[in-house]
C-alpha cells in the first residue's frame, strides 16, 4: 500500500541498507505527503527545483553557494532564511535520532515561508547579485528538503 515513488525517494537516500529505518522513513514520508503541509511543501519544492533547473540550464552554471541574507530585499525572503535555519536546526537531531516523523514536522514549518516567498518575491530580480542570491536560496530549499528524502523522486518532483 505504499506508493512506488515514495519508496524511490527513501531508497535514494544514503545509508538505506537498514530495512527497519527504510520502512520508517517511507511510512513517515507517505504520511507527510498525504497531509496538506506535505502536499503544499512538495509543490513549493517542485517550483523551486524547476525554476532552479531552468535558470541553471539557461546560465550554464549552478547556484550551489550559500545565499546571504544581506541581499534579501523582502520580508518574505528574510522569513524564508529564518525558516530554513530553523528547519536545519530541527532536522539534525531528528535525523540523528532516526525520528523521521519529527523530520517531516520540521519540514512542514517551511510550507508557509516558501509559499509567502513565491507569492511576494520575483526570483529573477533586475539586480544580478539579488537574482543569484535568490537562486542560491532556492537551492537551499532543495538541499534542506533532500536531507530527509530525495523529493525529486516523488512523481512530478
Amino acid at each position: 500500500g505504499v506508493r512506488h515513488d515514495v519508496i524511490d525517494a527513501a531508497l535514494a537516500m544514503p545509508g538505506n541498507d537498514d530495512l527497519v529505518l527504510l520502512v520508517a522513513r517511507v511510512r513517515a514520508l507517505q504520511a507527510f505527503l498525504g497531509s496538506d503541509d506535505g502536499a503544499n511543501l512538495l509543490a513549493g519544492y517542485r517550483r523551486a527545483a524547476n525554476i532552479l533547473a531552468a535558470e541553471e540550464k539557461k546560465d550554464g552554471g549552478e547556484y550551489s553557494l550559500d545565499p546571504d541574507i544581506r541581499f534579501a530585499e523582502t520580508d518574505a525572503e528574510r522569513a524564508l532564511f529564518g525558516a530554513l535555519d530553523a528547519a536545519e536546526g530541527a532536522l539534525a537531531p531528528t535525523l540523528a535520532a532516526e525520528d523521521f516523523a519529527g523530520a517531516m514536522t520540521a519540514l512542514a514549518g517551511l510550507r508557509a515561508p516558501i509559499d509567502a516567498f513565491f507569492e511576494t518575491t520575483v526570483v529573477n530580480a533586475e539586480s544580478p547579485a539579488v537574482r543569484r542570491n535568490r537562486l542560491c536560496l532556492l537551492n537551499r530549499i532543495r538541499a534542506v528538503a533532500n536531507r530527509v528524502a530525495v523529493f525529486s523522486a516523488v512523481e512530478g518532483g
Side-chain angles (χ1 to χ4, degrees):
V2 178
R3 295 174 22 193
H4 68 87
D5 58 330
V6 172
I7 295 170
D8 291 343
L11 277 173
M13 295 299 294
N16 64 16
D17 54 347
D18 184 324
L19 187 57
V20 173
L21 291 180
L22 181 62
V23 169
R25 186 184 303 262
V26 166
R27 286 187 176 147
L29 181 59
Q30 181 146 312
F32 178 63
L33 292 174
S35 72
D36 284 344
D37 282 341
N40 288 322
L41 178 69
L42 180 61
Y45 171 92
R46 286 179 180 155
R47 187 170 180 187
N50 289 339
I51 291 169
L52 193 55
E55 295 304 310
E56 286 175 338
K57 182 177 180 181
K58 182 177 85 174
D59 297 342
E62 61 180 41
Y63 293 97
S64 58
L65 297 175
D66 286 333
D68 189 333
I69 196 165
R70 292 178 295 171
F71 290 103
E73 294 181 336
T74 68
D75 289 340
E77 194 173 2
R78 286 184 282 279
L80 181 55
F81 271 96
L84 286 165
D85 288 344
E88 281 187 317
L91 283 176
T94 58
L95 292 173
E98 300 167 350
D99 175 11
F100 301 115
M104 301 302 163
T105 299
L107 287 183
L110 292 174
R111 173 194 171 181
I114 290 172
D115 289 348
F117 173 80
F118 282 125
E119 289 170 10
T120 63
T121 308
V122 176
V123 174
N124 286 318
E126 290 184 31
S127 164
V130 172
R131 176 182 178 270
R132 172 170 283 287
N133 199 60
R134 288 179 179 164
L135 290 167
C136 289
L137 188 59
L138 297 185
N139 184 66
R140 188 166 175 218
I141 292 169
R142 183 172 60 183
V144 169
N146 284 345
R147 290 191 56 207
V148 178
V150 179
F151 281 85
S152 61
V154 177
E155 290 203 351

